[in-house]
């Protein structure tokens, strides 16, 4: 219920901001250069949001008729390095899109069934008791499909709190140098938290689901997760600036580090980089690599288009207006909100570091970027940024 209320408040705030954005005169004329307008949008965005220290954005039409990438702000506070379009960013939950796609590759290879129970692959010691609802242990019955779609009912080790305790983010914040293993995080969900519903009867976002999926990928392939990513994505797609924290042996030697991430005024880069985030949120990449990945996925070059259709089997979460498939988000505003926001539907994924990777079928447009800020308020700044970008491109298209 709390998430529903928060979601409704978010939408009300988006409506207000949308009205303001669409009613006020734009600082750039529709007849101006679109590259300049993209730069103006992110520059103005950082100037007006004092909590945002850096922003990077890439946009590309699917037919390559328009592409632009750029950045503003300071990426490294210690060295005062400027943010550039080539600066790596922490993807956070955008990682889930990679993990889900790896699972779907295994599905296409005939190595798994989406209806397989996770108990077929994972040791009883790890999963026994992870989903006990109203006295019944469903742990050995939860399927891969339910993990992918957040319908397992398994508690979220990251955001949920035990009675009288702290959530995992707060624990990490207190000791950013300490690295947690996926097994420890799964154990936290099992031992300290309680499920909210019987598997398959509802949906609730849970990072634990994707840590379990990461473990399943390793069991099926017999390889560490970062090596599976390399084999499935990094090498064949030429993603030279993408890696998984806490284990990748092929992390590129870059001239600049990944951009700092902040929570309020606290630099939380250490906790993002120490390996505690894994199959649920441990990837680092650049905006160009991100778009290469999503475009390849969308065009059937990683999994078939039929398999992608399975991933886009949408259902509601308790964060209105967000829908979810198999490791993929879908944002479609109701018509009465879209009249004011003028925001086409998009699918992809967002992350708690302010990262985003989406595709608009209506506009045939890819968007990737980050504001490198973990937000605590009710207004998702990255959504507002994407809305402004899409509106500017729509205006330019309509003006032709």
């Amino acid at each position: 219920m709390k998430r529903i209320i928060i979601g409704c408040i978010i939408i009300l705030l988006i409506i207000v901001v949308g009205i303001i954005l669409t009613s006020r005169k734009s600082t750039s004329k529709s007849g101006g250069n679109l590259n300049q307008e993209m730069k103006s949008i992110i520059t103005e965005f950082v100037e007006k949001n004092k909590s945002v220290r850096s922003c990077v954005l890439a946009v590309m039409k699917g037919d390559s008729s328009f592409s632009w990438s750029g950045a503003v702000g300071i990426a490294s506070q210690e060295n005062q390095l400027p943010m550039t379009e080539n600066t790596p960013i922490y993807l956070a939950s955008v990682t889930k899109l990679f993990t889900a796609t790896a699972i779907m590759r295994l599905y296409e290879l005939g190595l798994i069934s989406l209806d397989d129970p996770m108990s077929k692959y994972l040791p009883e010691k790890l999963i026994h008791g992870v989903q006990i609802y109203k006295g019944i242990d469903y742990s050995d019955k939860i399927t891969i499909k339910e993990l992918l779609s957040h319908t397992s009912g398994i508690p979220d080790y990251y955001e949920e709190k035990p009675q009288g305790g702290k959530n995992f983010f707060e624990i990490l914040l207190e000791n950013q140098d300490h690295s947690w293993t996926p097994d420890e995080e799964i154990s936290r969900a099992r031992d300290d938290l309680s499920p909210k519903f019987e598997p398959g009867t509802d949906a609730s976002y849970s990072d634990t689901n994707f840590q379990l999926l990461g473990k399943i990928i390793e069991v099926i392939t017999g390889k560490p997760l970062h090596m599976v990513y390399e084999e499935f994505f990094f090498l064949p797609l030429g993603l030279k600036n993408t890696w998984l924290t806490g284990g990748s042996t092929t992390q590129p030697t870059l001239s600049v580090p990944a951009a700092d991430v902040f929570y309020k005024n606290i630099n939380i880069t250490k906790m993002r980089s120490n390996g505690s985030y894994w199959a649920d949120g441990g990837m680092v990449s650049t905006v160009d690599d991100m778009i290469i990945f999503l475009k390849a996925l969308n065009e059937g070059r990683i999994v078939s288009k039929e398999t992608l259709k399975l991933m886009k089997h949408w259902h509601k979460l308790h964060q209105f207006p967000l829908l979810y498939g198999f490791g993929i988000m879908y944002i479609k505003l109701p018509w009465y909100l879209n009249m004011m926001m003028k925001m086409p539907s998009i699918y992809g994924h967002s992350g708690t570091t302010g990262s985003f990777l989406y595709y608009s079928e209506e506009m045939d447009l890819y968007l990737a970027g980050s504001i490198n800020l973990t937000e605590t308020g009710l207004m998702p700044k990255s959504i507002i940024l994407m809305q402004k970008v899409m509106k500017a491109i729509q205006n330019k298209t309509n003006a032709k």
Side-chain angles (χ1 to χ4, degrees), residues 264-328:
K264 297 181 179 179
N265 290 319
I266 304 171
N267 189 323
I268 60 170
T269 308
K270 282 187 178 180
M271 64 186 258
R272 293 295 335 180
S273 62
N274 70 15
S276 295
Y277 298 89
W278 191 55
D280 61 334
M283 190 144 336
V284 182
S285 189
T286 59
V287 288
D288 286 345
D289 275 9
M290 292 165 72
I291 287 181
I292 289 171
F293 171 79
L294 185 54
K295 192 170 189 291
L297 176 62
N298 196 42
E299 293 176 350
R301 291 186 283 118
I302 304 177
V303 296
S304 70
K305 291 187 177 182
E306 288 301 315
T307 297
L308 181 58
K309 285 182 181 178
L310 288 177
M311 296 177 71
K312 295 191 289 185
H313 183 70
W314 310 120
H315 60 274
K316 292 181 180 179
L317 287 178
H318 292 304
Q319 294 97 331
F320 177 81
L322 178 66
L323 301 179
Y324 209 85
F326 293 166
I328 188 168

Side-chain angles (χ1 to χ4, degrees), residues 46-108:
V46 172
E47 289 175 350
K48 292 191 173 183
N49 293 277
K50 300 304 180 183
S51 59
V52 178
R53 292 166 173 81
S54 65
C55 175
V56 60
L57 171 72
V59 292
M60 186 178 75
K61 296 284 287 185
D63 62 2
S64 300
S65 61
F66 172 72
S67 64
W68 182 88
S69 59
V72 293
I74 301 299
S76 172
Q77 298 300 309
E78 181 179 356
N79 301 317
Q80 288 297 290
L81 296 173
M83 190 77 190
T84 76
E85 59 266 33
N86 298 316
T87 303
I89 54 177
Y90 292 96
L91 299 194
S93 283
V94 177
T95 305
K96 291 182 175 67
L97 187 54
F98 288 78
T99 301
T101 305
I103 286 286
M104 301 310 288
R105 276 289 298 274
L106 297 175
Y107 160 78
E108 282 198 340

